[in-house]
Amino acid sequence: MLDDRKLAVLRAIVEDYVSTNEPVGSKALADRHNLGVSPATIRNDMAVLEEQGYIAQPHTSAGRVPTDKGYRLFVDRLSTIKPLSIAERRAIETFLSGAYDLDDVVGRTVRLLAQLTRQVAVVQYPSLTRSAVRHVELVPVAEGRLLLVLITNTGRVEQRVIETGKISEESIGHLRALLNTCLDGLGFGEVPEAVADLPDKVGPDERPVAAAVLSVLLETLVEKHEEKIVFAGAANLAAVDFSQSLREVLVALEEQVVLMRLLGETGDSSTVTVRIGTENPDLGLKSTSVVAADYGVGDLTLARLGVLGPTRMDYPSTMGAVRAVARYVGQILAGS
């Protein structure tokens, strides 16, 4: 275990390296930070930090840089996540509250995160498996064809065209009313049982259409939907530390499966998670860090969002931005 003074030296090295992108020497630390000890003592502390793997010497200069292990200790010992200013919080709320549907919410969120953090932002769409039915609509689109529109409580909209044969407007209205009475507010897992006897509630002439609608509805619910993920801010990578590994990072960003693993599993919605360097599951991302958080409605976690950038990242500010945006997205979805 490191004592408080060595932790203070490590914290100062991380902060200086993040702000300057230059290896940090003992004299610079003594000049810039009120550590209360001489440069010689700081050099001794830096030698211990290097021996234990928290900092490294990139070349023959006197300066040191943090390692993944050093960043990890820095993040784990953060006493506070830097809060956003009142102006920043108001700007987030105004920007996100102008969204008119789920696609717009996700699109605005990913652009906002990229702008706030100057990193690559990644947002996962709410999972259908964690959704409930808000409304079912049946719309005639042609002779013998209906459009089934399924709207969830998380704002997702699923649409399917159904071949029904001839059916009257009255029958469509009756079936629509029955579906909404049965399904409103139910979780997707509860739907099959709820509609099992629905064909018995319609007349003989309507049963073939009811059966066709239910078949498509149930297929829609049980399909293994590939989780959709969007990202923005890839241009921010050009301005940072990826001269050697930029291509690998860009290739990884193009893979949805990689992005899913990158964000990680959902967990405690109040926690911001940080993966640093080699902690990331994809080898192409070993020079990056990922800061992620859950978002949801009330106690229901729907999905995750986060940012990817170099390990030389302003962790307190980035963690604060990710946490704040996740909370606002949850509030927007809860009110939608």
Side-chain angles (χ1 to χ4, degrees), residues 316-334:
S317 295
T318 302
M319 292 166 71
V322 167
R323 182 177 64 180
V325 171
R327 286 177 177 174
Y328 278 112
V329 172
Q331 291 172 16
I332 297 298
L333 292 178

Side-chain angles (χ1 to χ4, degrees), residues 126 130 154 269 293-305 325-335:
R130 300 189 189 100
T154 58
S269 59
D294 295 340
Y295 70 86
V297 177
D299 294 331
L300 176 65
T301 296
L302 299 175
R304 286 175 71 77
L305 56 78
V325 171
R327 286 177 177 174
Y328 278 112
V329 172
Q331 291 172 16
I332 297 298
L333 292 178

Side-chain angles (χ1 to χ4, degrees), residues 138-140 142-146 164-176 205-206 209:
L138 296 174
V139 183
E143 183 71 28
R145 280 187 169 189
L146 286 178
T164 62
K166 191 173 182 180
I167 182 172
S168 68
E169 287 280 355
E170 183 181 358
S171 295
I172 293 172
H174 183 218
L175 187 54
R176 181 191 299 121
D205 294 343
E206 296 175 350
V209 175

